[in-house]
Amino acid sequence: MKLACSFTVALALALLPGCGSSISSLCEDRCDCTGDCSPDDEDDCIDNLEDAEREAEAQGCEEQFDAAISCVEDEFACRGGDVDVDGCRQEVDNLGSCTDLPTGLLFWAAINN
């Protein structure tokens, strides 16, 4: 559970100002990978990441968010229709330690749903 929460937090960091295109690209890549996203699913992904970004920003966790989103962008891999960002556990954990649980859940949900 802690791992899932921290991954959610990491994704939330990707939504800091200036990262809008990164967020959109990540959500588009996620949908391309899973192959089962509707336009609403992609919009939900973007909304969740933007909510997570705002929460991270409000809690003074911009650096952790940026590190997590950067890692997710670098490590993003599609494996058999599943998103793999396992190389970002440390960055996501750091984000999760800095922010409240809901931010982490939003981040992970956006990437993995």
Side-chain angles (χ1 to χ4, degrees), residues 85-100:
V85 292
D86 286 344
C88 299
R89 290 177 193 243
Q90 183 63 51
E91 289 82 357
V92 173
D93 285 347
N94 290 344
L95 177 58
S97 295
C98 184
T99 62
D100 290 338

Side-chain angles (χ1 to χ4, degrees), residues 27-49:
C27 291
E28 182 179 341
D29 290 347
R30 181 192 63 87
C31 285
D32 289 346
C33 175
T34 61
D36 64 356
C37 282
S38 71
D40 287 340
D41 293 335
E42 190 169 336
D43 289 344
D44 288 345
C45 173
I46 293 167
D47 289 344
N48 286 337
L49 286 177

Side-chain angles (χ1 to χ4, degrees), residues 52-109:
E53 176 188 22
R54 281 189 291 276
E55 185 65 27
E57 188 176 73
Q59 294 184 38
C61 301
E62 295 92 342
E63 289 180 28
Q64 292 86 347
F65 186 87
D66 285 342
I69 200 63
S70 179
C71 182
V72 168
E73 289 174 327
D74 291 345
E75 295 290 322
F76 187 98
C78 183
R79 304 201 194 293
D82 292 321
V83 172
D84 180 357
V85 292
D86 286 344
C88 299
R89 290 177 193 243
Q90 183 63 51
E91 289 82 357
V92 173
D93 285 347
N94 290 344
L95 177 58
S97 295
C98 184
T99 62
D100 290 338
L101 179 63
T103 302
L105 292 174
L106 287 172
F107 184 92
W108 190 240

